[in-house]
Amino acid sequence: MIYRLTVFCLFLLPSYLLFADITGEILQAKNKVFPALVHVQPIKEIFSSGDKRKVQVTGSGIIISADGYVVTNNHVAEQARFVRCTLSSKIELDAEVVGLDAWTDLAVLKLDLAGAGLKSVPFVKLGDSDQLEVGQIVLALGSPLGLSRSLSMGVVSSIDRYFDDMGEMTSPFNLWIQTDAAINPGNSGGPLVNLDGQVIGINARAFMFGENLGFAIPSNNVDYVVKQIIKTGEVERSWIGIEWQEIKEYRKYKKDESLNGVLIASVEKNSPAEKAGLKPGYLVKTINGKPVTALYQEELPPLRLLIANLPVNSMIAFNVKTDDGDRKFKLVTDKQGKFSGNEFHCDAWGFSVEELTPRIKKIFQLESDNGVLISGVRRGGPADESDIRRGHILLKIDEEEIINLDDFKQKYQAMKENPARDHLLYLRFINRNWFALIKGTAL
Amino acid sequence: MSRLVFILIFILTCIQYLIGENWRKAITAVEDKIVLIEFYEQHGSMESIEEKSRIKRFLSGVIVSKDGLVLTSSSIFKPSLEFSGSSSFHFSDNKLSEIKVKLKDGTSLDAEFVGKDDDKNVGFVKIKNTSDLPVLKFSENEKLDIGDPLLIIQQLGENYDRELIVTKRLINARQEKPNPAFLCEDKISTGIKFGIALDEDYEVIGILIDDHSLISIGEGSVLSSGGLLKIMPYSQFRDLIANPPVYNKKESTRKKWLGVYMQPFTIDMAKYFGNDSIRGVLLNTIIKDSPAEKAGLQSGDVIMAINNVKVDAKTNNDLDVFREVIRSQQDSMITIDIFRDGKILPVSVQLAETPISQFLADEVTNSKLGFSVKELTQDIIIAKQLDFETEGVWVSKVEQAGWADVAGLVIGDLILKINETGAENLKVVEEIFDHINNSKPDYIQLFIKRNGDTRFLYVKTNYKMEEE
């Protein structure tokens, strides 16, 4: 009713007054957020082609507390060795990475206030993204293409944009706010702001070759993740190994429009769900007694959150409809694996290795947890000479199994003590194996 | 000085005489045995269930038997029949039809495709209902070597009325591995990569072959076939003429198979294993259910000899030689010597036929739903990075904008279930398709596997509209 009234009133206003009013609102909103805007410049240490390299990138961020916590994107802050920040007042100061969450592409930094001789910094509060409406005017602030302290304006184009798994850019736990406010690389981590000057999203994506198609992570998702990171340095999630599927078409196939629930599309090997006996094709009706349903794709992220946000080792009860009638299942959740693994650089052998994460295991369809991934090979190095390639999984050295990254590091360090010895590496690539001899160097 | 000039003039005259006079003679001796083969190449498309496009092609060939066997290039039928890591999907496995063989005098005769050998790059067609054709006589010349001249006779293109062209080349190089061949400088391209090669005595000693390996881009190989002409000596295909390979879908002639992946065994590796004198082929992967696995071979074994003949692989070309030795075994029972754990032991292996490629696999199509499935073959298992023991059917065609396409079915998806029934093999799928065609349901559920994940797809049908 209030909304209708407002619209009605707006119509009554002479148009020149309307514009004056909006400019005023924009300025007001900007003035609230602008002091808390941060230009973020991490120096990253990346592993590329089997070598360690440093690169500088540019992103944006927003201060959310007086003592200097800054929200930005994971893809801005990950692998950062050193972060330099510039406030909108042009004060420069260092920051450290408090924690990262690749699953939501969020990161928290802490500004070194003491180092810059500051006691406190201006900050903004996160707004409630559930109150957003399509058509509402929003502002994007940040450093597009490195042009710091920029502002662009647009409207909310959609509040429930869903993206299926897109590899590195996966976002299983949130829907996206789509906006036509100009968002370019460098805007990443910057705030999307409503006219009340509240941060209602963190800008994170834009479509290449698309125009005015920007995407922000809703502030309510941000709030949960940031609180977790500040508290423990990470976001711990529960994992059961199920991929869910919406039931819009399943209903039609079953000729029963009253069906509720969510379909199990896939059950991962050796997961809690598999061990409990859950199978693809089962229709889950309740989780811990709470009825669940996902008619459309857009309803999947909240459902995934429902499980992910439970403490690890929680007991979950499912009521499930199968072709053989209704059944009950119980299982205990596992901890969700890392999104990206740690890397290690082996200069003497000319390659870098990365620990196996669940995601890598899935991409390479690995059965066992053992081994490390060859993440890069230096051209002309010993590994390159013996045809070791990026993507190979290193399983054994001299008949000894490599259990994980730490195990590899230990063995590698020990072997470096005796550089004259030859080593035979046993690797796997997809369904083929490869022997590689790393020749010792004559003293 | 004048003596030198005299000798020069004498030599030039001789060459003039030799070439000028006898090239015509050389042509006359062979021209009635060289034929033009006209045929249609069917192009399969993965986006359409029916094969619509076909292209008219021409190739040269030579008559090698009185009853009409014609030897030509294996490029007459491009699909690979045996599995290999890579294969193009754009050719149809339909047997070639409407083949015509045109003789020197212009007569055009019906012919059929016999078969081909991709290792040797030769193919055969057979002229129907004929008995008294002139046969090209080949002979062996073991003395040929680098620097020796060869006469190459090829057919020119349509613009030149398929006239024969003779060029004189010198053998610039000899290729020993995996199959011996002569390489000559090639300046003239006739467009048709087939022809015959004659030695100085105008004996036909071999054929010109279209070798794909010359085109492959990679370390150590020539960037394009432009510039090199490859001649395969008679000894390499003599037995094939006597006993041509047969193409008959799954009953096609296939070569022997061990079922391993291998790599060169270097001297450094031999030193690593504490025995410098070991030479051989290092097996890195044993394929499930292969003859190698059945014989107990293991990853890490080094094959040192086959039937007491030593093998040695220091380079990838050496591996090709080893592969060729295995593939061309006549007897399927062989004995190999392997080096394992510091010891040499003999192992008996019963070789099998090389598994078929996806081209020869059976296919079942439902044109209403708009997709086809094929049984899984080794090449698909490798291409899709599946476990070697995976069973089932995979989506080989999806009609563009058809019902299945709209539902999101993608070529390469593994189909695990259709509705509630497991799709273990083609026979079951055929039965399910029959049932669907009769019951005409509004929705069909497909349970598929893609990139390691399973999911359900729902195909919305529209039988009513189809019938209107």
Side-chain angles (χ1 to χ4, degrees):
Chain A
M1 192 62 207
I2 292 171
Y3 168 73
R4 276 200 187 161
L5 207 65
T6 324
V7 175
F8 185 63
C9 294
L10 282 175
F11 272 115
L12 291 182
L13 285 170
S15 60
Y16 70 89
L17 242 177
L18 178 72
F19 281 115
D21 196 38
I22 284 183
T23 307
E25 278 191 63
I26 291 168
L27 287 176
Q28 247 179 16
K30 181 217 69 172
N31 288 338
K32 274 191 195 166
V33 180
F34 196 72
L37 187 65
V38 185
H39 180 70
V40 184
Q41 285 180 295
I43 306 279
K44 293 190 182 200
E45 197 171 80
I46 58 163
F47 295 82
S48 132
S49 312
D51 253 335
K52 227 187 313 194
R53 250 173 243 175
K54 281 184 179 166
V55 288
Q56 193 193 35
V57 298
T58 306
S60 310
I62 185 78
I63 307 171
I64 52 158
S65 73
D67 55 350
Y69 282 110
V70 175
V71 179
T72 184
N73 280 140
N74 171 73
H75 75 263
V76 172
E78 66 179 344
Q79 294 176 309
R81 287 285 285 187
F82 179 81
V83 186
R84 191 81 180 146
C85 289
T86 312
L87 308 184
S88 57
S89 57
K90 295 183 185 164
I91 294 173
E92 286 188 33
L93 63 183
D94 294 337
E96 65 168 52
V97 179
V98 179
L100 301 163
D101 184 42
W103 296 101
T104 52
D105 195 10
L106 288 167
V108 178
L109 311 174
K110 178 85 183 352
L111 297 172
D112 178 13
L113 299 190
L118 296 173
K119 287 229 166 64
S120 67
V121 277
F123 66 98
V124 288
K125 283 199 171 142
L126 296 178
D128 183 359
S129 52
D130 287 347
Q131 303 302 318
L132 274 179
E133 286 189 56
V134 174
Q136 185 179 334
I137 291 175
V138 283
L139 312 174
L141 287 87
S143 310
L145 302 176
L147 306 172
S148 58
R149 304 185 301 279
S150 301
L151 180 145
S152 60
M153 184 188 80
V155 292
V156 173
S157 310
S158 167
I159 52 165
D160 55 0
R161 184 64 60 210
Y162 177 82
F163 292 128
D164 224 351
D165 193 346
M166 302 205 290
E168 289 292 318
M169 289 287 181
T170 187
S171 55
F173 302 117
N174 64 276
L175 295 169
W176 293 83
I177 303 168
Q178 184 186 324
T179 176
D180 66 346
I183 287 177
N184 289 287
N187 271 114
S188 286
L192 189 71
V193 175
N194 64 16
L195 287 185
D196 294 330
Q198 293 169 323
V199 175
I200 46 84
I202 295 295
N203 302 319
R205 303 263 192 281
F207 270 158
M208 227 185 276
F209 312 119
E211 276 185 30
N212 304 333
L213 291 171
F215 300 92
I217 306 155
S219 57
N220 290 3
N221 291 77
V222 176
D223 189 49
Y224 176 83
V225 170
V226 166
K227 276 179 184 153
Q228 292 283 311
I229 291 178
I230 291 175
K231 211 163 116 191
T232 65
E234 62 167 344
V235 186
E236 205 180 73
R237 294 193 176 89
S238 266
W239 173 81
I240 58 167
I242 286 181
E243 292 291 337
W244 302 102
Q245 190 170 340
E246 70 281 5
I247 62 159
K248 183 184 72 174
E249 289 156 312
Y250 177 79
R251 271 186 178 182
K252 291 177 182 157
Y253 167 70
K254 288 283 181 189
K255 294 183 187 137
D256 184 354
E257 289 294 322
S258 67
L259 271 178
N260 277 322
V262 56
L263 195 61
I264 298 179
S266 174
V267 178
E268 215 162 292
K269 266 190 193 156
N270 300 322
S271 64
E274 195 203 33
K275 287 173 192 157
L278 287 161
K279 291 195 166 63
Y282 285 4
L283 185 72
V284 174
K285 312 272 286 183
T286 71
I287 297 179
N288 284 339
K290 184 177 175 254
V292 286
T293 200
L295 194 51
Y296 305 103
Q297 266 190 336
E298 291 81 0
E299 293 168 84
L300 294 177
L303 188 88
R304 292 186 189 121
L305 270 184
L306 185 72
I307 288 164
N309 287 356
L310 291 171
V312 176
N313 291 324
S314 295
M315 173 79 86
I316 308 185
F318 293 95
N319 278 341
V320 170
K321 185 174 150 42
T322 75
D323 287 335
D324 313 318
D326 291 353
R327 291 177 64 184
K328 287 181 196 301
F329 292 89
K330 268 187 183 167
L331 56 81
V332 175
T333 67
D334 244 347
K335 187 179 168 174
Q336 182 171 50
K338 277 184 173 181
F339 185 86
S340 43
N342 289 330
E343 272 190 282
F344 177 69
H345 178 59
C346 318
D347 197 39
W349 292 356
F351 62 65
S352 54
V353 293
E354 189 179 335
E355 66 186 307
L356 296 183
T357 60
R359 228 164 42 91
I360 290 173
K361 280 182 61 190
K362 201 164 173 183
I363 294 168
F364 291 96
Q365 299 185 27
L366 303 176
E367 297 270 319
S368 148
D369 288 324
N370 281 9
V372 288
L373 173 77
I374 305 290
S375 57
V377 179
R378 189 177 69 229
R379 279 183 87 166
D384 187 30
E385 293 291 318
S386 49
D387 291 321
I388 294 176
R389 297 286 169 260
R390 185 173 171 215
H392 281 179
I393 310 289
L394 175 57
L395 294 172
K396 286 184 199 168
I397 303 177
D398 301 330
E399 289 295 309
E400 277 189 69
E401 301 219 5
I402 302 297
I403 297 157
N404 53 33
L405 186 65
D406 285 336
D407 183 41
F408 170 80
K409 277 187 199 170
Q410 267 179 19
K411 290 190 167 117
Y412 172 74
Q413 299 293 3
M415 284 166 191
K416 264 193 3 184
E417 300 289 307
N418 187 1
R421 258 198 73 189
D422 293 350
H423 297 288
L424 189 70
L425 276 55
Y426 184 65
L427 306 114
R428 176 164 300 157
F429 185 63
I430 306 171
N431 38 26
R432 294 173 61 165
N433 309 312
W434 187 256
F435 291 97
L437 189 76
I438 302 273
K439 283 215 23 124
T441 44
L443 293 172
Chain B
M1 186 66 194
S2 66
R3 208 169 150 191
L4 195 68
V5 173
F6 175 75
I7 292 171
L8 258 175
I9 292 171
F10 177 75
I11 292 172
L12 282 174
T13 321
C14 284
I15 291 172
Q16 183 89 31
Y17 172 77
L18 278 170
I19 298 171
E21 192 72 12
N22 291 310
W23 278 23
R24 174 49 68 193
K25 206 174 132 192
I27 288 186
T28 317
V30 298
E31 63 184 346
D32 57 339
K33 291 127 195 166
I34 298 178
V35 297
L36 178 74
I37 307 168
E38 299 172 276
F39 62 101
Y40 287 93
E41 192 174 87
Q42 192 85 43
H43 273 229
S45 159
M46 303 176 80
E47 281 133 24
S48 148
I49 283 173
E50 281 169 49
E51 287 167 353
K52 287 164 191 154
S53 62
R54 48 178 225 166
I55 297 171
K56 186 156 190 184
R57 299 265 186 219
F58 299 94
L59 252 177
S60 298
V62 288
I63 303 169
V64 292
S65 83
K66 274 204 243 169
D67 57 351
L69 190 66
V70 174
L71 169 70
T72 182
S73 158
S74 61
S75 66
I76 188 164
F77 189 59
K78 295 198 176 90
S80 53
L81 308 182
E82 296 176 339
F83 93 99
S84 65
S86 63
S87 60
S88 162
F89 292 93
H90 296 289
F91 299 107
S92 159
D93 60 339
N94 277 345
K95 196 170 170 175
L96 295 166
S97 56
E98 294 181 58
I99 305 175
K100 299 261 185 217
V101 171
K102 216 171 189 176
L103 305 182
K104 159 97 201 339
D105 61 10
T107 6
S108 187
L109 302 168
D110 288 340
E112 60 186 356
F113 177 58
V114 177
K116 63 163 181 169
D117 184 325
D118 277 330
D119 291 354
K120 307 277 187 186
N121 297 294
V122 295
F124 293 93
V125 298
K126 174 97 175 17
I127 302 169
K128 293 179 191 167
N129 310 321
T130 182
S131 59
D132 219 9
L133 294 171
V135 175
L136 185 75
K137 197 175 154 289
F138 286 98
S139 56
E140 273 181 60
N141 182 344
E142 283 163 3
K143 289 187 196 127
L144 279 176
D145 206 349
I146 292 183
D148 289 341
L150 289 177
L151 280 191
I152 308 289
I153 302 181
Q154 286 169 278
Q155 273 184 330
L156 282 169
E158 212 170 1
N159 293 350
Y160 299 96
D161 288 333
R162 313 274 171 203
E163 283 293 340
L164 295 181
I165 175 169
V166 186
T167 48
K168 187 175 181 176
R169 310 273 165 82
L170 298 176
I171 297 175
N172 297 101
R174 285 181 63 142
Q175 187 184 15
E176 302 295 341
K177 303 170 194 172
N179 295 309
F182 301 117
L183 300 176
C184 299
E185 186 183 15
D186 183 18
K187 282 181 190 147
I188 301 168
S189 172
T190 57
I192 292 180
K193 279 274 171 194
F194 186 81
I196 52 174
L198 286 65
D199 64 8
E200 273 183 307
D201 302 326
Y202 304 120
E203 298 285 346
V204 187
I205 58 91
I207 54 170
L208 207 113
I209 57 163
D210 185 6
D211 178 12
H212 305 292
S213 73
L214 289 174
I215 304 164
S216 75
I217 297 169
E219 247 174 19
S221 68
V222 184
L223 275 177
S224 81
S225 64
L228 268 186
L229 202 66
K230 194 165 176 176
I231 289 129
M232 180 163 63
Y234 178 46
S235 60
Q236 289 296 305
F237 57 91
R238 187 183 43 207
D239 294 345
L240 290 172
I241 292 177
N243 209 351
V246 177
Y247 173 75
N248 182 16
K249 279 281 193 174
K250 285 182 178 174
E251 269 72 56
S252 299
T253 310
R254 281 180 274 146
K255 305 225 169 170
K256 295 291 187 297
W257 182 61
L258 179 59
V260 297
Y261 284 104
M262 55 205 171
Q263 63 185 89
F265 188 69
T266 62
I267 292 173
D268 287 334
M269 282 179 178
K271 279 183 190 153
Y272 175 86
F273 285 110
N275 192 339
D276 296 24
S277 62
I278 301 296
R279 299 284 179 277
V281 172
L282 174 60
L283 306 183
N284 56 37
T285 313
I286 312 293
I287 294 177
K288 279 259 157 59
D289 294 331
S290 67
E293 195 198 48
K294 285 173 189 155
L297 294 181
Q298 295 169 10
S299 174
D301 287 349
V302 180
I303 296 187
M304 301 178 62
I306 301 175
N307 291 337
N308 292 320
V309 180
K310 286 205 160 89
V311 293
D312 180 6
K314 292 190 196 71
T315 65
N316 285 329
N317 276 355
D318 295 336
L319 294 181
D320 289 340
V321 176
F322 176 80
R323 198 172 284 125
E324 185 62 29
V325 168
I326 292 287
R327 285 175 65 75
S328 57
Q329 286 293 320
Q330 293 300 314
D331 198 353
S332 62
M333 202 68 198
I334 57 166
T335 310
I336 56 174
D337 293 333
I338 59 163
F339 176 73
R340 181 192 293 168
D341 297 333
K343 290 185 215 78
I344 297 167
L345 30 138
V347 179
S348 295
V349 186
Q350 173 94 45
L351 298 176
E353 277 193 328
T354 304
I356 55 167
S357 75
Q358 60 95 8
F359 286 106
L360 297 190
D362 291 329
E363 189 170 52
V364 167
T365 296
N366 188 315
S367 53
K368 280 270 193 279
L369 299 181
F371 73 97
S372 309
V373 293
K374 272 187 175 179
E375 58 192 330
L376 271 178
T377 42
Q378 289 278 357
D379 48 351
I380 297 300
I381 286 180
I382 291 165
K384 303 289 303 167
Q385 312 182 4
L386 301 170
D387 286 337
F388 284 120
E389 55 261 59
T390 311
E391 286 177 357
V393 298
W394 64 285
V395 178
S396 51
K397 282 176 189 159
V398 177
E399 178 86 24
Q400 208 164 46
W403 296 345
D405 188 23
V406 171
L409 192 67
V410 173
I411 291 160
D413 284 349
L414 278 183
I415 298 205
L416 306 175
K417 275 185 185 178
I418 302 176
N419 290 339
E420 321 295 331
T421 317
E424 295 101 38
N425 56 52
L426 280 190
K427 200 169 164 288
V428 179
V429 172
E430 238 174 330
E431 284 164 17
I432 303 172
F433 278 173
D434 281 348
H435 179 73
I436 289 172
N437 287 344
N438 291 330
S439 60
K440 299 184 179 166
D442 293 338
Y443 275 87
I444 288 146
Q445 177 179 261
L446 301 176
F447 183 47
I448 61 142
K449 191 169 184 181
R450 185 186 298 166
N451 302 332
D453 266 337
T454 56
R455 64 169 302 143
F456 294 91
L457 298 176
Y458 296 92
V459 181
K460 189 180 186 315
T461 66
N462 201 345
Y463 288 100
K464 272 183 198 151
M465 204 182 95
E466 288 285 306
E467 279 158 15
E468 271 164 17

